[in-house]
Amino acid sequence: MASSYSRRRERRRHFPIDFDMKNVNKKLSALVFVSIIFFASAGIEAQAEKENHPSILLTQEEWKWLAEHPTITYAADSGFPPIESLNSEGRHIGVSKDILDLVEKNLGIEFERVDTASWDEVLAKGKSREVDMWSGAAATLQRLAYMRFTKPYFKLASVIIVSDEIEESLSMDMLKGKKVAVTSGYAVHDYTVNNYPELDLEVVPDVLTGLKMVSSGAVDAMVANIAVASHYMEKENIDNIRVAGKSGYTMNLAMATRRDWPILQGILEKGLAQISEQERQAISLKWIPLKEEHLITAKDLLTWLFSAIGVFALFSVLFWNRSLNKLNEKRTIELNRTKMEAEKANQAKSEFLSSMSHELRTPLNAILGFAHLLERNRDNNLSEKQKSNVHEISKAGKHLLDLINEVLDLAGIESGKLSMSLENVEVQEVLDEAVTIVGPIAQQSKIEIINNVPQDKRYEVFADRLRLKQVLLNLLTNAVKYNNEFGHVAIECKTSTDDRILICVTDNGLGISKEELDAVFQPFTRLKQESEDIEGTGIGLTITRKLVELMGGTITVDSILGQGSCFSVELKKAQGLPHEEFKIPSFPKSEIAVSPGSECIVLYVEDNPANLKLVESIFEEAFSEVKLLSAPDANLGIELARAHRPRLILMDINLPGMDGVTATRLLKGLEETKDIPVLAVSANAMTKDINRAMEQGFEDYIVKPIDPDKFLKTVEGILNQKPL
């Protein structure tokens, strides 16, 4: 019996009608979806080296090594088009070959291909050192044991491919209970096994075999590289399957060399750095043009045609209904497009804010860190003027950090990504903490804070304790900042209804005019106080209102210009049993345990010299018995970790080449390093970044700028948990 794949091809040959499928509106959303996947991941590495030089700056040692090795042998995958394959004449072609040719030209050396019949044979020859390098491959835990990898020169996403009879979008978690095809020996196979061990995998020899199995119904889905899958779908005319979603794996295509030849890796890096962005883009467009017909199936064609014939056969009385339906469909498409554009814009904003957070926090880490060290200067050799200057540096740095945090808070709230932990919270406890923090500021301005909440009366609300404290701090800080000298701030708490508690913060300060009262909660609005010498962003009250609303409450303001303002927060009463008191255990003040004759080694993987110097200074002051090693990138960090087996690894996240999350995942997969705790030290402060890191096995997460006391306690705690 012929397969469904063969029957569909037969039907297509007897179906000669040709028309422009771009007018099929139902395909617009699918086209946009796959376009986003492709262009977001299939582009040439945008962060390629930009500082090109007219000549390759090889060292004398590298030139000598090349002279001793005039021909470098390599192996390539013969069945991975358009990335690399063999043509009908047996010649190596594809993206990797064009990149290899440019490196060959830039370095003036010769690469010689060794014939291989399959990718498994390529892996075997690399492991046995029968070849010196691979022209294109992705780093995996298994391969790092015997090969070194350059920085990626190309990135491509792997996607989920299913029958076109399945119309829903899918994720990897949704493939549980289904048979899923993956290609033997490919990096996506290792990724799927490591991250989704519960899936029922069908290992196939090549991508084409897997696609045909999806087409015939032999398997439910396949996870494969989008460029390779698209190539075979077009070439083999497989028109009854489609892309259903992302797999979460991106192939970082790089060159790989023998592990015992690190010098060759460095030479190839320099050759790759000479390839211009224009050359890379030309290679991308040559081999991977995005074609819309990959998204259109024979089933879609038949459905559209017979629907059209049916429309023409309808009675004229149905004409208006059809017109209305088309109008509704058009509006739906426009709404979906608008929604998609809004989601893309929101995603772009989140990515920008995450990047901005990192770029600002990295220099702030050095500024605040060194200012802290100067303030704690044990030699006490700073003059009073110098101490005052250091204090101003620290003050300005902390203010900038506050601004960054407020902008990120607002972005997180607006994107719906701010997590809330609602529980029973005693108001008096949180008020006492907030007053303690704001009190010194009020004393400097000669402003009295009066807490009128009775100490013997217990008010409990159902809220997020941390966010409630943030709300009260914002209100109290504003009441102090916008007050008069010798003014006062009063705090009251009372029951407003049977199930609501009202918290009021009242001041006798500047007040707000009726005309400006409506704008007080709008972002970046500071009203007439813009001319005052008062620091602020104008978004504190915006954040406050959004936080209160997320906790199911409301906030209102009453004010009289020149007499003061009253901000009232109304929240739900506590639910169920009353709030239980608990104590946070004190942190143990102990020395680092080191066995006689051994040493305690900590490895810090960090590419920023200022951040590295700061941590070195902290360790010199606090941990004299600890030896601190450092590495400027993840690859060297992994090498040092395998060689020295440190007690702890401090890992930056944004590193050149391989990022810290990937490096940690690789370390956890190596036998000799899997038990070493890894502490993230990063300027990435977004919740999604922290969650992503913790899921990969980090022991803890320290956000830059580093709080030295918290940092020291965390490091000391981990080291004492992992004695030699």
Side-chain angles (χ1 to χ4, degrees):
M1 179 180 292
S3 68
S4 62
Y5 162 61
S6 301
R7 291 197 301 272
R8 286 178 180 268
R9 292 193 62 184
E10 186 66 25
R11 287 200 300 268
R12 181 165 180 160
R13 285 196 293 268
H14 293 285
F15 197 62
I17 296 176
D18 183 24
F19 57 93
D20 185 9
M21 288 302 293
K22 291 181 181 179
N23 292 326
V24 184
N25 289 335
K26 63 182 285 189
K27 287 300 168 187
L28 284 176
S29 58
L31 178 59
V32 172
F33 170 69
V34 176
S35 298
I36 292 171
I37 292 177
F38 182 81
F39 286 112
S41 58
I44 296 295
E45 180 69 6
Q47 298 176 347
E49 299 290 341
K50 295 181 179 178
E51 298 180 0
N52 291 335
H53 300 278
S55 61
I56 304 292
L57 299 178
L58 296 184
T59 65
Q60 193 171 10
E61 181 186 5
E62 289 169 334
W63 284 121
K64 180 181 178 182
W65 189 91
L66 286 176
E68 295 171 352
H69 302 81
T71 301
I72 310 297
T73 61
Y74 77 95
D77 192 346
S78 60
F80 199 54
I83 306 305
E84 58 180 12
S85 61
L86 302 182
N87 64 9
S88 57
E89 299 173 355
R91 290 192 303 108
H92 181 204
I93 61 172
V95 171
S96 296
K97 181 59 168 66
D98 285 1
I99 292 288
L100 191 69
D101 287 345
L102 289 175
V103 173
E104 190 175 48
K105 176 183 175 182
N106 291 337
L107 295 174
I109 61 176
E110 182 179 348
F111 296 110
E112 181 179 297
R113 186 175 63 85
V114 175
D115 289 334
T116 51
S118 66
W119 178 246
D120 286 334
E121 187 177 352
V122 172
L123 296 176
K125 287 188 179 296
K127 196 169 187 178
S128 63
R129 296 179 182 170
E130 295 178 63
V131 295
D132 303 324
M133 57 174 285
W134 299 331
S135 53
T140 67
L141 290 173
Q142 294 82 352
R143 297 171 189 173
L144 282 171
Y146 56 91
M147 298 295 280
R148 296 176 180 272
F149 289 82
T150 66
K151 294 178 181 178
Y153 59 79
F154 204 82
K155 287 191 175 185
L156 281 170
S158 290
V159 295
I160 302 168
I161 300 169
V162 298
S163 166
D164 62 359
E165 295 178 355
I166 300 175
E167 297 181 354
E168 63 180 324
S169 297
L170 298 177
S171 64
M172 294 293 285
D173 290 327
M174 297 169 69
L175 296 180
K176 294 178 182 178
K178 302 180 184 297
K179 187 171 286 294
V180 182
V182 289
T183 309
S184 174
Y186 279 12
V188 70
H189 172 256
D190 295 341
Y191 166 81
T192 306
V193 169
N194 293 336
N195 292 277
Y196 300 95
E198 70 279 5
L199 295 186
D200 182 10
L201 299 183
E202 178 73 24
V203 181
V204 296
D206 51 59
V207 175
L208 180 57
T209 300
L211 294 176
K212 288 183 176 181
M213 292 178 72
V214 176
S215 175
S216 65
V219 296
D220 299 303
M222 182 180 192
V223 180
N225 183 289
I226 187 171
V228 180
S230 297
H231 173 88
Y232 279 126
M233 289 163 68
E234 178 186 3
K235 181 180 178 182
E236 301 295 326
N237 200 20
I238 307 176
D239 54 13
N240 65 330
I241 60 179
R242 70 177 189 89
V243 173
K246 292 184 180 181
S247 69
Y249 173 73
T250 298
M251 179 185 183
N252 294 308
L253 192 66
M255 292 183 178
T257 68
R258 291 170 44 166
R259 189 155 197 85
D260 60 333
W261 282 4
I263 192 170
L264 177 57
Q265 178 193 6
I267 292 171
L268 292 177
E269 292 276 18
K270 293 180 179 179
L272 287 169
Q274 293 295 304
I275 301 175
S276 68
E277 187 65 25
Q278 290 76 15
E279 289 173 319
R280 294 168 185 262
Q281 290 176 355
I283 292 172
S284 176
L285 293 173
K286 173 183 175 182
W287 291 105
I288 314 180
L290 183 63
K291 297 184 179 295
E292 184 179 347
E293 53 264 28
H294 295 169
L295 310 178
I296 308 300
T297 66
K299 178 181 177 181
D300 299 323
L301 194 64
L302 290 170
T303 302
W304 191 92
L305 180 62
F306 287 123
S307 297
I309 294 173
V311 167
F312 283 111
L314 290 177
F315 294 102
S316 58
V317 72
L318 299 178
F319 175 77
W320 291 111
N321 287 336
R322 177 177 177 272
S323 298
L324 288 173
N325 288 337
K326 290 187 70 176
L327 180 60
N328 288 335
E329 182 180 355
K330 182 179 179 180
R331 288 178 176 174
T332 301
I333 292 172
E334 290 174 350
L335 287 172
N336 288 338
R337 184 185 294 113
T338 302
K339 179 182 178 183
M340 186 176 298
E341 290 173 353
E343 290 174 349
K344 286 170 63 180
N346 191 55
Q347 177 66 22
K349 181 184 75 174
S350 296
E351 291 174 358
F352 166 75
L353 288 172
S354 179
S355 174
M356 182 197 73
S357 170
H358 177 268
E359 295 304 322
L360 291 177
R361 283 172 178 272
T362 296
L364 262 182
N365 179 57
I367 293 170
L368 290 176
F370 284 113
H372 183 83
L373 290 177
L374 286 172
E375 286 179 327
R376 294 178 57 181
N377 181 20
R378 290 180 175 179
D379 297 334
N380 198 26
N381 53 7
L382 296 179
S383 67
E384 289 302 319
K385 184 176 181 180
Q386 289 173 329
K387 289 179 181 179
S388 175
N389 291 341
V390 170
H391 176 72
E392 290 301 321
I393 292 171
S394 180
K395 178 182 175 183
K398 290 176 180 177
H399 174 62
L400 181 54
L401 180 60
D402 289 340
L403 301 188
I404 295 170
N405 288 335
E406 285 192 356
V407 171
L408 293 178
D409 277 347
L410 181 59
I413 294 169
E414 289 182 340
S415 63
K417 295 179 180 178
L418 186 72
S419 60
M420 281 280 174
S421 178
L422 299 178
E423 58 183 349
N424 294 350
V425 178
E426 186 177 0
V427 175
Q428 187 64 269
E429 284 184 0
V430 182
L431 271 175
D432 289 343
E433 293 176 10
V435 170
T436 300
I437 294 172
V438 180
I441 304 173
Q443 289 177 4
Q444 291 176 4
S445 303
K446 301 177 182 178
I447 293 171
E448 182 183 9
I449 298 180
I450 306 168
N451 188 350
N452 291 324
V453 181
Q455 294 293 326
D456 58 346
K457 191 168 179 64
R458 194 183 190 92
Y459 291 101
E460 287 191 325
V461 294
F462 189 63
D464 183 301
R465 194 179 196 280
L466 178 63
R467 301 305 174 186
L468 176 58
K469 182 178 177 180
Q470 186 177 352
V471 166
L472 295 175
L473 281 173
N474 278 344
L475 296 180
L476 289 172
T477 302
N478 280 350
V480 171
K481 285 198 312 184
Y482 299 109
N483 213 318
N484 301 305
E485 191 175 12
F486 301 108
H488 69 261
V489 177
I491 307 168
E492 294 180 314
C493 188
K494 58 186 176 182
T495 302
S496 60
T497 64
D498 290 341
D499 63 343
R500 311 286 283 187
I501 298 292
L502 191 66
I503 306 169
C504 301
V505 176
T506 306
D507 66 76
N508 63 342
L510 305 177
I512 306 169
S513 68
K514 292 182 179 179
E515 294 77 15
E516 296 175 322
L517 204 57
D518 292 338
V520 74
F521 293 111
Q522 297 302 314
F524 306 107
T525 299
R526 299 191 65 201
L527 308 179
K528 292 183 179 179
Q529 306 307 327
E530 291 176 339
S531 61
E532 299 288 340
D533 186 20
I534 300 175
E535 295 179 343
T537 62
I539 58 176
L541 286 177
T542 306
I543 293 172
T544 298
R545 183 179 66 175
K546 291 183 179 293
L547 289 176
V548 170
E549 290 173 349
L550 285 174
M551 292 186 289
T554 59
I555 182 170
T556 57
V557 57
D558 294 306
S559 184
I560 299 175
L561 188 62
Q563 296 185 25
S565 305
C566 176
F567 286 85
S568 302
V569 175
E570 190 176 58
L571 294 169
K572 295 178 182 177
K573 275 187 177 180
Q575 301 177 356
L577 296 174
H579 175 75
E580 295 182 1
E581 300 257 352
F582 67 95
K583 293 183 179 180
I584 301 174
S586 59
F587 193 88
K589 298 289 184 180
S590 60
E591 297 288 334
I592 304 302
V594 182
S595 302
S598 63
E599 60 180 350
C600 179
I601 297 175
V602 173
L603 171 63
Y604 186 21
V605 185
E606 170 63 73
D607 64 317
N608 187 301
N611 291 338
L612 177 59
K613 188 176 179 181
L614 172 62
V615 171
E616 287 176 344
S617 300
I618 293 174
F619 267 70
E620 287 175 4
E621 181 179 327
F623 298 130
S624 58
E625 68 273 34
V626 175
K627 180 179 180 180
L628 183 67
L629 301 179
S630 64
D633 60 70
N635 287 321
L636 180 58
I638 293 173
E639 294 290 334
L640 290 175
R642 297 177 70 179
H644 295 277
R645 311 287 179 84
R647 290 262 294 273
L648 171 65
I649 298 174
L650 308 175
M651 182 72 71
D652 186 22
I653 300 299
N654 288 335
L655 293 167
M658 185 188 305
D659 63 50
V661 174
T662 303
T664 299
R665 186 166 64 246
L666 294 177
L667 287 168
K668 293 300 181 182
L670 296 173
E671 185 64 31
E672 58 265 49
T673 59
K674 66 180 183 180
D675 295 325
I676 300 175
V678 183
L679 173 64
V681 184
S682 175
N684 288 349
M686 302 290 278
T687 303
K688 65 180 181 64
D689 296 322
I690 297 174
N691 291 341
R692 173 174 172 256
M694 296 303 294
E695 289 171 358
Q696 298 302 324
F698 282 92
E699 194 81 7
D700 207 336
Y701 197 105
I702 297 292
V703 176
K704 298 175 184 175
I706 293 173
D707 179 338
D709 293 330
K710 179 180 179 182
F711 176 73
L712 290 174
K713 287 181 180 180
T714 304
V715 170
E716 185 181 39
I718 295 175
L719 290 177
N720 282 325
Q721 290 173 8
K722 304 284 182 180
L724 290 175

